[in-house]
Amino acid sequence: MGASQSGREHKFQDLADKTGFSIEQIKNLHSRFKYLTQDEDTLRREHLENVSNLSINPIRRQIIEAFFDERNLGGHEKGCLQEIGFEEFVTVLAFFRPPKPRIPDEEVKIIRKEKLRFLFNMHDTDNDGVITLEEYRRVVEELLSSYETIGAETAKAISDGAMLEVASVTVGQMAPDEFYEGITFEQFMQILQNLEIETKMNIHFWNLDKTTMKCGK
Amino acid sequence: MASSVHLCLLRAVFLVCFFNPLIKGLNGDEGVIQNPHHHLHENITGLPIVTFKWHHVETPYLVVLWVFVAGLAKLSVIKLSHRVTSVLPESGLLIILGFILGGIVWGADKAQTFKLLPPTFFFYLLPQIILDASYFMPNKLFFSNLGAILIYAIFGTCWNAATVGLSLWGCYEAGAMGNLDISLLQFLLFGSLIAAVDPVAVIAVFEEVHVNEVLFILVFGESLLNDGVTVVLYNVFDAFVTLGGPMIDAAEILKGIFTFVVVAFGGSFLGVVFAFLLSLLTRFTKHIQIIEAGFVFVVGYLAYLTAEMLSLSAILSITFCGVCCQKYVNANMDEKSVTTVRHAMKVLANGSETMIFVFLGVTAIDTEIWVWNTGFILLTLIFIFIYRVIGVFLLTWMLNKFRLVPIEVIDQVVMSYGGLRGAVAYGLAAMLDEDSIPEKNLMISTTLIVVYFTVILQGVTMKPLVQWLKVKRAAHSDLKLIEKLNNRAFDHILAAVEDICGRIGDNWWTRGWNRFEENYISWLLMKPKARKNRDYLFSIFHKLNLEDAVKYVSEGERQGSLAFIRSDEAANVDFKKQFGSEFSNYELGIENFSVTSIVKDTIPSVSLNIHGQDRKNAVDDTNAHHLLQQHLYRSRKHHRHKYSRNHFSINQSEDEVQEIFQRTMRSRLESFKSAKMGVNQAKKITKHHKKELTHKMANGHPDGKGHLYGDEVDSAVGSETGIINSTFMRDTYTVGAGIENPVFLPDMDSHSSLPWLMETEAVAPSQRAQRRLPWTPNRLRRLAPMRISTCSTDSFLMADVSLTPEEHEELPQTDYDDMRPVFE
């Protein structure tokens, strides 16, 4: 028992080094992980789908997919996993870790790029490196689906409009026989450069504790 | 009371000086013109034709004149050379101009007969500024930073008041100010009135600097709320001063603190209540649309006065009223009323802001109020500055422990430097009781100096400071829609990740509140119809589209014709690929619609680009002009402006609609006739495959500049109009309304879906005329969400392209059947 305990500690330490979380946070996340998976070692989609607050989230599909997307797990492979372990879970969550204060600009840029990449992967469902209109429409439709008053037509129009904005900023004029394939990652970075994603795509991890753990389900 | 106040306030002495001799002179010379009208009855010799009754109108006349002068002052400030305005902030310039005006008044009267009196300021000048600031408050930003703002506003103000008061007292005791008759309590009172950062001054300066949004909302929100706090603090200390030192014990102090809490939160609560009432009220104002805009002002002012009456914080009351009601009011009211409110609000706020600064300047030119005490004044300036800095850094240090995104040091510097004092401080100083505070005039003059110092000096240096420190500026982005979409997605993502982590965080609360708000509050306060259209994203979308439409039309009109120029930054996007797949779902015949119109170059495709590089030759131009002349409706000034107090619209005359209709019909008929020649050609062309054609068409422009504009637009427009027309004609035929030349109609209807007819329709009225389509209201409605989609003239056209598939869907099957024989 003691050996496994220290082994786990060691593993946590590795994870903490890798993701930048503190040991405390890793431990908290681990108990949350165990709670979600009901003490199994791997997390599957249905585990996440069971989270009650998530069920009212219009883009839950994309978010859940993001956890099983291999592109987000550091490797160079593409594709979807059926289940993930704790390490993957933490790796994905690390995208939402707030950056440390007072870090040099280069690091900010890296963090920004990583976060944007995560977002981009979420939109680019077929892994081809381009968010096509089809894909974007689907995103927007899902996003707006919780607003029953906005019909699919409007959602389509909105996504078209947004896509046009992107195109007009990133590409400029196009010859009539060209067609706009979609948003590449470079363009995606370009259009979101003002968003200051590194200050927004963060959630608090530091005061996770047992009492709030219970509320998720 | 109001009139007497105004009398005092707005004694436009320069007018009196210049006019009085005139009046006297007139009196002496001509007996007919009588000055005071009671003379009228005495030496009336006959029926006076004209009488001069200056005293009769004096008060309102002077009020209006002062307002007018203030307006002129603003105008002259704006008109000043750019070099001056880029250095000096507008507020500072207005104060300086006020000095000059005050100098004129003083020179004429040998005494300052004009003063900015506290009641005038607090009752007539301040409320609209606060209401404006709160009504246009970026709500989400405000509430998401509310914690920080409240901490700055409440604790920061208290800190400032206490430290400044105590330090001054300490220095006074140490003998730095010589012989003054000020007690500790009075120092604290002075500290409280000088503590607050003034929203008027801050907005005036920060508006010109464009700092990033978090910094802006912090400074702005703080200045707005701490005004309320400072007034409360002032009242508490004022009560203490009147009570006198010896009477104050621990119980009184506790009571004071309690009062502070009650007044501040009671005022805020009252504001929320009034906001609630106002929102509820606007739910039912549909039938009195013309005055519904007025309710916003009246209820806002009522909130202010009611709070004042209950001795709660009036400023906080009107602030929260404005902040809370905006969403529902904007949703409930008619779009025109919303615009009215916006403009009226800006007029009022800007006007009184101008007046305040001018009057602040005018007030200074008065020998009576100036009492100089170098120690007191200098120390006040120094302490204010120092404690502001310390306070900001201290509070930020505490806040940063809890903030996800810490406030940066640079931002803190700007925040502390942005501690401009303004008219509120002066108003409070002028309200001091002369009996209990013997050094009132010293306090007033110190306050004035502080105001001038901060507004002018700090205002001037603010911009260079912001540039020098490289403060994060507000990022201006053209990508409005996608940004909003991303923000929306973001909210959901963050909430979801919090859910997955099982943490109840900010996003959880925000979402919980949103859901509650949506389900209950909106339900109660919003019209059901408004609730539908209320979605933020949709409204952005809608607004963008409206902007586009306006731009589109004005662009066309600027050209002197309806030529549509292409804007260079606009993109040319081809979604054809996507649509291609959709197209394939439909009948082949339909595809040919666009095809034919793409290819037929023989018929000049209209005027769409007179400006264009594509087709410069004169023939086209002549053609275009000819067409425009023929097809465009020239207004014959048939608008009859019917006067009505309840309705505000130019009634579109029936004739006009009728005429447009007839013209379109005529043109259609003509083009139909001429198109009969083109049957063979059309048939031949229909065999090409669509994509091939697009390609071919591109090659058709050797200069490579055949943008969307040339043919493809025509194709889009052509196919669209064709279908519109066909639907339209069917409609009119069945309905039979307003048909002037019924002879042609049956004939046309039977052919309406022929492709060549469609294609010649592409030659018809010019885009705008098509766009206006007076004929098919139901169609327009259907188009509405689609048509209004996009950002540039080009994208407008793109929207049309994207429309086509839907159009086809809407075509009844019978039309397809009609067509098939033609193509096969």
Side-chain angles (χ1 to χ4, degrees):
Chain A
M1 190 65 205
S4 77
Q5 190 67 29
S6 75
R8 219 178 70 172
E9 288 284 322
H10 188 67
K11 201 181 140 207
F12 281 3
Q13 185 58 52
D14 282 352
L15 269 179
D17 292 342
K18 205 176 128 199
T19 57
F21 285 117
S22 70
I23 295 279
E24 270 311 294
Q25 287 168 339
I26 298 268
K27 274 182 189 160
N28 282 329
L29 286 176
H30 189 255
S31 51
R32 176 66 184 173
F33 182 77
K34 283 285 171 203
Y35 178 69
L36 284 175
T37 57
Q38 285 142 356
D39 278 336
E40 288 174 42
D41 281 337
T42 54
L43 182 76
R44 288 186 304 277
R45 285 183 176 77
E46 61 261 29
H47 289 139
L48 288 180
E49 275 154 15
N50 283 340
V51 179
S52 67
N53 278 324
L54 211 54
S55 61
I56 48 162
N57 200 316
I59 52 172
R60 62 183 169 282
R61 181 192 60 83
Q62 301 169 29
I63 294 161
I64 293 175
E65 279 310 313
F67 276 88
F68 299 93
D69 191 334
E70 287 203 60
R71 288 172 296 174
N72 293 334
L73 301 177
H76 294 286
E77 284 139 69
K78 290 176 178 178
C80 280
L81 297 170
Q82 291 312 307
E83 49 182 30
I84 54 170
F86 178 60
E87 193 181 336
E88 286 81 19
F89 181 69
V90 175
T91 314
V92 172
L93 285 179
F95 282 105
F96 294 90
R97 200 173 49 83
K100 293 191 176 66
R102 280 188 272 285
I103 47 173
D105 281 353
E106 297 83 56
E107 246 175 271
V108 173
K109 264 186 199 141
I110 293 170
I111 290 171
R112 173 185 291 199
K113 195 167 175 180
E114 275 172 4
K115 294 195 176 200
L116 281 175
R117 176 60 86 176
F118 180 84
L119 214 59
F120 183 81
N121 288 345
M122 218 157 127
H123 288 351
D124 179 24
T125 42
D126 63 356
N127 294 349
D128 63 353
V130 172
I131 304 174
T132 57
L133 182 67
E134 298 274 292
E135 284 168 340
Y136 198 67
R137 268 195 191 157
R138 197 148 160 237
V139 171
V140 174
E141 258 164 50
E142 276 181 17
L143 186 62
L144 300 177
S145 63
S146 63
Y147 306 89
E148 74 281 0
T149 53
I150 293 187
E153 289 287 284
T154 320
K156 219 179 191 180
I158 288 179
S159 57
D160 286 1
M163 200 75 166
L164 263 166
E165 275 187 349
V166 178
S168 64
V169 168
T170 54
V171 183
Q173 291 194 0
M174 293 174 86
D177 56 338
E178 280 182 82
F179 58 79
Y180 189 60
E181 282 182 43
I183 309 169
T184 62
F185 182 59
E186 280 68 37
Q187 292 167 352
F188 194 71
M189 288 213 296
Q190 191 188 342
I191 55 177
L192 293 183
Q193 64 189 354
N194 288 332
L195 193 62
E196 290 183 5
I197 195 167
E198 70 274 9
T199 63
K200 286 187 181 144
M201 198 168 125
N202 301 324
I203 65 169
H204 276 293
F205 282 103
W206 49 273
N207 53 358
L208 289 172
D209 56 31
K210 301 277 181 200
T211 51
T212 56
M213 294 302 236
K214 304 281 181 262
C215 308
K217 217 156 185 178
Chain B
M1 157 129 189
S3 63
S4 73
V5 165
H6 269 122
L7 182 64
C8 306
L9 159 73
L10 299 171
R11 262 186 60 84
V13 186
F14 76 93
L15 179 114
V16 180
C17 308
F18 298 136
F19 272 66
N20 269 346
L22 190 70
I23 293 162
K24 280 170 201 148
L26 283 176
N27 281 341
D29 290 343
E30 294 174 49
V32 187
I33 298 173
Q34 302 287 337
N35 179 17
H37 67 205
H38 56 264
H39 281 208
L40 213 68
H41 307 290
E42 291 166 17
N43 45 1
I44 189 164
T45 50
L47 190 68
I49 310 250
V50 179
T51 52
F52 192 86
K53 297 189 280 188
W54 165 246
H55 288 288
H56 186 60
V57 295
E58 187 178 353
T59 313
Y61 204 95
L62 288 178
V63 171
V64 174
L65 261 176
W66 265 112
V67 173
F68 179 66
V69 167
L72 280 186
K74 176 119 181 163
L75 182 71
S76 57
V77 163
I78 297 283
K79 283 275 173 191
L80 268 181
S81 79
H82 186 68
R83 222 172 50 222
V84 180
T85 43
S86 66
V87 176
L88 269 173
E90 208 185 291
S91 45
L93 277 175
L94 285 174
I95 289 183
I96 293 170
L97 214 81
F99 290 156
I100 299 170
L101 278 178
I104 295 174
V105 174
W106 195 78
D109 269 15
K110 299 289 171 230
Q112 188 53 280
T113 40
F114 164 76
K115 263 179 197 154
L116 179 58
L117 290 181
T120 323
F121 173 71
F122 283 109
F123 282 142
Y124 305 110
L125 291 176
L126 189 62
Q128 58 263 44
I129 294 181
I130 307 277
L131 184 65
D132 169 75
S134 57
Y135 188 79
F136 288 98
M137 179 78 76
N139 249 345
K140 198 184 162 199
L141 210 55
F142 178 72
F143 283 114
S144 57
N145 287 299
L146 189 63
I149 291 171
L150 280 179
I151 290 197
Y152 283 125
I154 296 175
F155 293 103
T157 311
C158 292
W159 157 267
N160 277 348
T163 49
V164 171
L166 287 175
S167 307
L168 281 176
W169 179 69
C171 291
Y172 166 70
E173 288 291 302
M177 299 171 199
N179 197 13
L180 284 177
D181 185 14
I182 306 181
S183 67
L184 170 63
L185 273 179
Q186 289 173 12
F187 272 117
L188 283 175
L189 179 62
F190 178 70
S192 72
L193 74 85
I194 206 84
V197 174
D198 183 67
V200 188
V202 164
I203 297 164
V205 169
F206 271 73
E207 223 167 40
E208 293 176 30
V209 203
H210 305 294
V211 292
N212 61 69
E213 54 179 19
V214 175
L215 179 57
F216 180 76
I217 202 73
L218 286 180
V219 175
F220 181 37
E222 182 213 350
S223 65
L224 204 57
L225 293 188
N226 75 7
D227 261 4
V229 175
T230 205
V231 174
V232 177
L233 214 57
Y234 171 87
N235 285 336
V236 172
F237 280 117
D238 196 36
F240 279 157
V241 169
T242 356
L243 212 59
M247 295 286 290
I248 297 167
D249 50 14
E252 291 297 328
I253 291 173
L254 270 183
K255 254 163 80 186
I257 295 171
F258 188 65
T259 322
F260 177 81
V261 175
V262 168
V263 170
F265 286 92
S268 315
F269 179 72
L270 194 75
V272 175
V273 170
F274 269 93
F276 182 83
L277 290 178
L278 177 58
S279 312
L280 205 60
L281 186 69
T282 49
R283 251 191 92 157
F284 306 107
T285 49
K286 195 182 160 204
H287 299 292
I288 46 164
Q289 230 171 53
I290 208 80
I291 61 162
E292 69 183 349
F295 280 124
V296 178
F297 299 95
V298 172
V299 176
Y301 198 39
L302 265 181
Y304 188 85
L305 291 180
T306 313
E308 193 71 45
M309 180 177 77
L310 299 174
S311 75
L312 299 174
S313 170
I315 296 177
L316 287 177
S317 170
I318 200 169
T319 304
F320 277 91
C321 181
V323 170
C324 296
C325 78
Q326 49 167 279
K327 180 176 174 186
Y328 310 103
V329 167
N330 283 343
N332 281 342
M333 288 197 312
D334 186 66
E335 206 157 319
K336 278 180 208 151
S337 309
V338 173
T339 317
T340 312
V341 170
R342 279 161 192 266
H343 283 263
M345 198 84 94
K346 285 291 169 207
V347 169
L348 286 177
N350 218 317
S352 51
E353 184 192 295
T354 309
M355 276 186 272
I356 287 173
F357 283 123
V358 170
F359 293 160
L360 271 179
V362 171
T363 314
I365 312 298
D366 186 5
T367 42
E368 268 175 40
I369 57 163
W370 287 108
V371 179
W372 192 264
N373 183 318
T374 320
F376 188 79
I377 291 172
L378 268 184
L379 283 171
T380 310
L381 276 176
I382 293 169
F383 285 141
I384 281 179
F385 191 75
I386 290 177
Y387 287 119
R388 167 84 185 169
V389 174
I390 296 177
V392 166
F393 275 79
L394 208 68
L395 291 173
T396 317
W397 177 73
M398 290 198 296
L399 276 173
N400 273 351
K401 297 201 151 192
F402 300 95
R403 278 180 76 89
L404 199 55
V405 187
I407 300 165
E408 287 168 35
V409 182
I410 291 175
D411 287 359
Q412 295 175 41
V413 172
V414 175
M415 267 191 82
S416 33
Y417 198 70
L420 309 177
R421 269 55 168 190
V424 172
Y426 170 74
L428 290 176
M431 253 167 46
L432 288 173
D433 181 15
E434 212 154 345
D435 298 330
S436 54
I437 302 165
E439 300 291 350
K440 179 188 173 184
N441 275 346
L442 176 62
M443 291 188 181
I444 292 183
S445 38
T446 311
T447 311
L448 277 176
I449 287 180
V450 168
V451 171
Y452 300 145
F453 184 83
T454 52
V455 170
I456 299 179
L457 221 65
Q458 293 192 4
V460 169
T461 44
M462 179 61 94
K463 216 186 257 181
L465 184 81
V466 167
Q467 276 159 0
W468 181 65
L469 287 175
K470 298 200 183 65
V471 177
K472 254 189 233 157
R473 301 295 196 91
H476 180 73
S477 168
D478 297 327
L479 296 160
K480 294 185 184 119
L481 200 55
I482 196 156
E483 203 172 271
K484 298 293 182 273
L485 276 174
N486 271 316
N487 283 343
R488 176 70 63 89
F490 246 52
D491 293 346
H492 287 304
I493 293 171
L494 291 183
V497 174
E498 275 192 355
D499 287 338
I500 288 172
C501 297
R503 177 174 182 273
I504 299 183
D506 303 341
N507 294 304
W508 190 87
W509 288 110
T510 318
R511 198 182 44 186
W513 162 254
N514 282 345
R515 210 177 314 149
F516 172 74
E517 198 260 3
E518 206 150 298
N519 289 342
Y520 301 103
I521 302 183
S522 296
W523 172 79
L524 188 62
L525 295 182
M526 267 192 209
K527 285 179 188 169
K529 197 172 137 245
R531 220 163 39 218
K532 267 186 191 167
N533 301 331
R534 168 191 79 95
D535 184 84
Y536 184 59
L537 208 65
F538 184 79
S539 65
I540 292 277
F541 184 56
H542 181 67
K543 212 168 71 190
L544 282 177
N545 289 326
L546 277 183
E547 263 172 36
D548 280 352
V550 170
K551 225 188 289 168
Y552 182 73
V553 170
S554 59
E555 193 86 316
E557 280 171 356
R558 199 170 55 78
Q559 293 292 305
S561 71
L562 290 169
F564 301 103
I565 57 157
R566 72 180 288 105
S567 54
D568 285 6
E569 70 279 348
N572 222 335
V573 191
D574 192 358
F575 285 129
K576 272 267 147 64
K577 187 191 183 189
Q578 280 78 20
F579 291 118
S581 59
E582 287 177 42
F583 259 111
S584 59
N585 299 331
Y586 303 108
E587 297 279 327
L588 178 74
I590 298 167
E591 213 171 68
N592 286 325
F593 269 156
S594 29
V595 170
T596 37
S597 35
I598 289 174
V599 177
K600 279 270 288 189
D601 262 343
T602 46
I603 294 184
S605 59
V606 200
S607 72
L608 294 185
N609 201 352
I610 286 181
H611 171 80
Q613 310 97 337
D614 313 352
R615 311 158 163 256
K616 270 192 179 151
N617 60 56
V619 188
D620 276 355
D621 269 3
T622 340
N623 266 328
H625 282 299
H626 176 69
L627 279 164
L628 283 173
Q629 264 190 342
Q630 274 226 318
H631 296 286
L632 283 182
Y633 177 78
R634 260 166 316 202
S635 165
R636 294 189 180 165
K637 308 275 180 236
H638 270 171
H639 305 285
R640 278 188 294 265
H641 290 272
K642 194 169 67 179
Y643 177 77
S644 160
R645 201 165 271 141
N646 296 321
H647 300 288
F648 183 66
S649 62
I650 302 169
N651 42 331
Q652 244 206 345
S653 89
E654 299 258 318
D655 295 352
E656 188 179 332
V657 178
Q658 201 49 247
E659 168 133 6
I660 295 170
F661 176 79
Q662 281 176 20
R663 273 169 185 266
T664 345
M665 289 310 287
R666 213 177 302 141
S667 74
R668 197 166 297 124
L669 179 74
E670 274 164 27
S671 43
F672 168 64
K673 278 179 188 161
S674 63
K676 275 189 174 168
M677 315 297 183
V679 177
N680 290 333
Q681 204 178 354
K683 243 184 178 173
K684 192 173 68 202
I685 284 148
T686 50
K687 287 180 182 145
H688 291 280
H689 190 267
K690 179 168 163 285
K691 268 184 188 155
E692 224 175 303
L693 282 165
T694 328
H695 188 62
K696 187 177 158 193
M697 185 208 56
N699 294 339
H701 294 283
D703 57 355
K705 278 185 178 174
H707 317 286
L708 182 60
Y709 243 121
D711 299 348
E712 227 171 67
V713 173
D714 293 348
S715 81
V717 172
S719 57
E720 194 205 359
T721 14
I723 293 144
I724 292 171
N725 289 338
S726 63
T727 26
F728 150 63
M729 277 187 255
R730 235 186 2 266
D731 286 353
T732 41
Y733 185 50
T734 43
V735 177
I739 300 170
E740 287 295 295
N741 39 5
V743 188
F744 298 120
L745 271 174
D747 183 31
M748 291 188 61
D749 189 44
S750 62
H751 291 90
S752 63
S753 43
L754 295 177
W756 54 85
L757 175 62
M758 300 308 137
E759 165 236 326
T760 43
E761 269 320 309
V763 193
S766 98
Q767 284 237 326
R768 193 171 88 156
Q770 288 168 12
R771 223 156 277 292
R772 285 182 60 192
L773 302 177
W775 351 300
T776 52
N778 61 336
R779 222 207 100 64
L780 275 181
R781 200 182 52 239
R782 245 178 303 148
L783 275 181
M786 307 294 300
R787 162 106 27 200
I788 44 178
S789 70
T790 46
C791 241
S792 64
T793 41
D794 286 55
S795 27
F796 227 115
L797 300 172
M798 284 312 301
D800 289 341
V801 175
S802 72
L803 260 174
T804 27
E806 275 89 45
E807 287 312 314
H808 297 311
E809 274 176 320
E810 280 159 14
L811 263 181
Q813 197 55 47
T814 48
D815 278 16
Y816 302 160
D817 296 334
D818 283 351
M819 271 175 260
R820 228 167 264 134
V822 181
F823 295 123
E824 281 159 12

